[in-house]
């Protein structure tokens, strides 16, 4: 989730905020919004944007909407699931022939800029979109081969003769 949020922020232009003092109002629908707000403020500071502790001191008010902050997971599985043997009570472990566990992160952010003194709308950013993907594969391969440096024995007699 954080990496997708970083990728979304990387597409934003902060030139109009540089050298100015801003206050950040961050809005999101998930509990992750508090962490993302602090991450966003630290990112802005890394872009040489001054953050005001007192909203009355700010030249600009940034209303940041995290429209999407999501992590999705999906799984494909072919094989024998784990199970408990009745009566004996011991567990047979799962035997995957093929498994794919997919994780993806999605983030969408939009910034509305408001003048700190007048409260009038100044500008809005494009919707910044970031996405990440992490796939974990398990494939069972059963391979049998023999490698040897032993010579074949040469017998003068054959068994059963």
């Amino acid at each position: 989730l954080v990496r997708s949020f970083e990728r979304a922020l990387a597409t934003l232009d902060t030139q109009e905020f540089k050298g100015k003092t801003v206050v950040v109002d961050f809005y999101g629908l998930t509990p992750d919004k508090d962490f993302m707000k602090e991450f966003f403020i630290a990112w802005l500071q890394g872009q040489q944007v001054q953050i005001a502790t007192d909203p009355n001191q700010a030249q600009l008010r940034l209303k940041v909407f995290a429209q999407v902050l999501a992590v999705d997971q999906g799984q494909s599985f072919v094989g024998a699931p784990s199970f408990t043997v009745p009566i004996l009570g011991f567990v047979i472990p799962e035997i995957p022939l093929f498994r794919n566990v997919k994780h993806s992160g999605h983030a969408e952010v939009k910034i509305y800029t408001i003048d700190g003194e007048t409260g009038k709308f100044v500008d809005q950013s494009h919707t910044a979109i970031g996405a990440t993907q992490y796939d974990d594969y398990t494939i069972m391969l059963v391979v049998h081969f023999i490698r040897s440096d032993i010579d074949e024995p040469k017998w003068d007699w054959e068994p059963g003769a």
Side-chain angles (χ1 to χ4, degrees):
L1 183 59
V2 174
R3 184 69 62 209
S4 63
F5 190 67
E6 272 183 317
R7 289 180 181 177
L9 294 180
T11 66
L12 291 174
D13 182 19
T14 59
Q15 291 300 319
E16 64 181 292
F17 310 138
K18 285 189 180 181
K20 295 188 179 173
T21 305
V22 302
V23 66
V24 175
D25 296 327
F26 197 94
Y27 304 95
L29 299 173
T30 65
D32 299 321
K33 70 179 170 51
D34 296 330
F35 174 81
M36 293 304 179
K37 176 183 179 181
E38 293 304 317
F39 188 87
F40 180 73
I41 289 172
W43 178 80
L44 278 178
Q45 290 172 327
Q47 304 292 317
Q48 286 79 42
V49 177
Q50 301 296 320
I51 306 297
T53 54
D54 181 12
N56 296 327
Q57 303 292 326
Q59 295 171 298
L60 297 174
R61 176 177 294 273
L62 302 182
K63 292 192 174 211
V64 182
F65 290 88
Q67 302 158 333
V68 176
L69 291 174
V71 176
D72 295 327
Q73 180 179 348
Q75 178 173 316
S76 301
F77 178 77
V78 176
S82 67
F83 62 93
T84 304
V85 176
I87 301 172
L88 300 176
F90 66 90
V91 176
I92 302 293
E94 172 181 276
I95 303 170
L97 299 176
F98 174 80
R99 170 188 300 210
N100 178 16
V101 181
K102 294 182 176 190
H103 302 272
S104 59
H106 309 279
E108 291 185 16
V109 181
K110 189 164 193 161
I111 301 173
Y112 293 88
T113 308
I114 310 296
D115 186 271
E117 293 178 18
T118 64
K120 291 186 178 180
F121 174 80
V122 176
D123 196 11
Q124 73 181 22
S125 71
H126 69 282
T127 301
I129 299 172
T132 57
Q133 187 157 340
Y134 176 82
D135 293 341
D136 183 9
Y137 294 95
T138 301
I139 300 172
M140 178 184 273
L141 298 175
V142 179
V143 179
H144 175 78
F145 63 94
I146 298 174
R147 186 169 174 232
S148 174
D149 65 353
I150 299 174
D151 294 334
E152 290 288 324
K154 304 274 182 181
W155 297 91
D156 292 340
W157 60 274
E158 288 187 25

